[in-house]
Amino acid sequence: METKGNPVDKAPAAVDPFEAKARVLEYCRRKGALVAGVASLDTLLRIAPPGHRPRDLMPRVGSVISLGVGGQTRGAWSVPARALSFFGSTEGSAYKIAFGCAFFIESQFGRASIYCPPDVDPEGGTRIPFQSIKLHAEVAGLGARSLAGDILLHPQYGYMYYASVFTELELPPDTPLDANPCPTASCVELYRRTGQTPCMKFCPAQCLSGGIDSDGRQEFMRYEMAKCAELTEQYEALPSMLADAMSAPDAASRERALFDPDNSLYWYKMSVGSGGLLGQCFECMRVCPVATRAPLADPISRGPRAK
């Protein structure tokens, strides 16, 4: 009996790259992405460090597709930090869309595709990713780096979560944003008076610093990752917590080590599968005018799309 076989095993038919791009990006938006674009592969290969370039993961990659989904609702920014940390994030939906997009490309165009893993490189440590999803999004024009530790911000949607797809399908690339929404006029005004922007001022770890030039644009940004990690990188507390439990002298001490109220957040994050396990703070975004007040940052403001 004749079988159809895997579409990526067959000789791929000729594809109009512009039509294919339109269909792929429309798929991403139809599935819930607020923004989607194609990063310049040449730019990524030039900027990304050795070992973390697209071809290091997929040797015959032809395009890098980036997509973004919305972050917190407006109301989330007003709750106490201890509650905000339980809200998790919407990044899981971005990963699902990217996963589906890879299948869509293979089924429709017969080109091998993968959902780019957002995980850390096991050989690089807890802060070194396989690929910089943020760099993909920036080069694709889906956001620009802010003074808040390089967090990407979009002028219309504010703070988003991103995911990437690598494919052998060659698509025409997009370009980075023409203008950076960070800093806003109010941030510049505060910086002129105090030497700090809101994100710098209210960072509980005081790990952010930077400068704004005479034209009100970013001059430089400094992010002290180690300081931030002490407060937010909860993953690094897990090994020591488990070690305390394993070395506990009795059952009661072991139970305290595992189920102490201060540790309950770790287990909650793992039980709901939140990628936020690696870092939950949000204080810089809570006071960021772009993250909280961009025109379409709140799902309600997006109208029918939010249903």
Side-chain angles (χ1 to χ4, degrees), residues 48-78:
H52 302 278
R53 295 167 179 157
R55 284 181 183 157
D56 294 324
L57 184 64
M58 190 178 198
R60 295 196 297 180
V61 62
S63 301
V64 174
I65 300 160
S66 178
L67 61 95
V69 302
Q72 303 287 0
T73 61
R74 187 189 314 170
W77 302 118
S78 64

Side-chain angles (χ1 to χ4, degrees), residues 60 92 134 143 206 226 277 300:
R60 295 196 297 180
K134 179 168 63 177
Q206 287 296 288
L277 177 66
I300 299 300

